[in-house]
Amino acid sequence: VQLVESGGGLVQVGGSLRLSCTASGFTFDDYVIGWFRQAPGKEREGVSCISNSDGITFYSDSVKGRFTISSDNAKNTVYLQMNSLRPEDTAVYYCAAIEDMITIKIIWENAYEYEYWGQGTQVIVSS
């Protein structure tokens, strides 16, 4: 099983980045892919997730309206489009996978629930 993130980098306040998470080694359509982030000295925070079986999405309040998650099942890839970036968005961003379940809308932000993790990609928003 492998999850590989890409697309991080340095961007100015108000700018945009698109992160990618490419998965292999499991049945992509049966899983939810979540994006988490962790800033220095802070706990890992759930940002967004998407169900690859029905396309349902969830967002944290801190990114709602600015970030958009999408999935290309043919490419086993999930994207996180990040617009109107702020300094507080600076963090290492991770994607993770959990088998889809009926309670996903309740647990999606719980990092400990996820089975597989990528290595992370750094996002720095400069003011």
Side-chain angles (χ1 to χ4, degrees):
V1 173
Q2 196 172 25
L3 295 170
V4 179
E5 303 98 334
S6 61
L10 175 65
V11 64
Q12 291 189 329
V13 169
S16 299
L17 283 174
R18 189 177 80 156
L19 305 183
S20 300
C21 172
T22 301
S24 61
F26 60 91
T27 306
F28 189 75
D29 291 3
D30 292 342
Y31 276 72
V32 169
I33 302 296
W35 282 100
F36 290 78
R37 65 187 182 187
Q38 190 164 21
K42 294 190 175 181
E43 292 189 357
R44 196 164 293 193
E45 170 194 17
V47 173
S48 182
C49 78
I50 185 167
S51 165
N52 292 322
S53 62
D54 60 17
I56 196 167
T57 60
F58 299 99
Y59 296 92
S60 68
D61 288 343
S62 61
V63 307
K64 202 171 292 182
R66 300 188 297 123
F67 291 11
T68 303
I69 193 169
S70 61
S71 182
D72 185 340
N73 288 31
K75 296 182 178 180
N76 281 12
T77 299
V78 169
Y79 304 98
L80 185 68
Q81 178 67 43
M82 307 187 296
N83 298 330
S84 302
L85 283 163
R86 305 167 180 168
E88 55 263 39
D89 295 318
T90 294
V92 177
Y93 283 71
Y94 301 88
C95 65
I98 181 174
E99 197 163 1
D100 206 348
M101 61 185 72
I102 198 167
T103 56
I104 191 64
K105 67 178 180 179
I106 299 171
I107 68 166
W108 77 267
E109 292 177 283
N110 299 333
Y112 63 84
E113 299 276 4
Y114 285 73
E115 300 172 59
Y116 310 121
W117 288 85
Q119 81 289 348
T121 186
Q122 177 75 57
V123 172
I124 299 173
V125 184
S126 65
S127 55

